[in-house]
Amino acid sequence: CALMCVRKMGDVSLLPYVVDLLNDPNPLLRQGAVWALGRMGLRPKALRSYLEPLKKEPYPEIRDTMASVLKS
């Protein structure tokens, strides 16, 4: 998956694409986007602002991933 590469690279130039995937109907892509954002070295405040819309995420796996990303 391309998101795995983005996650490993942490390339901030890909940020707009990753943020778009936070709204994807596929939960696996949303979860991958959350992990990728966590690897981009964003400031905590910026990271929280991108993840804020997912607070009501129906999939617990994605909420768990968000919590993990926000802790690190």
Side-chain angles (χ1 to χ4, degrees):
C1 176
L3 277 173
M4 292 175 86
C5 293
V6 170
R7 188 173 77 197
K8 288 182 185 226
M9 293 175 5
D11 187 349
V12 182
S13 70
L14 300 171
L15 181 64
Y17 305 105
V18 174
V19 170
D20 282 346
L21 289 174
L22 292 173
N23 298 311
D24 196 274
N26 184 324
L28 291 176
L29 288 178
R30 288 197 307 277
Q31 187 175 23
V34 170
W35 274 118
L37 279 176
R39 298 287 299 187
M40 289 186 160
L42 301 173
R43 293 183 177 169
K45 186 176 180 179
L47 183 58
R48 280 192 302 275
S49 71
Y50 287 119
L51 297 179
E52 180 72 24
L54 292 178
K55 278 176 51 173
K56 296 182 181 180
E57 172 62 49
Y59 290 91
E61 298 86 355
I62 297 174
R63 291 193 309 268
D64 291 346
T65 301
M66 287 174 40
S68 177
V69 164
L70 290 169
K71 278 185 191 177
S72 55

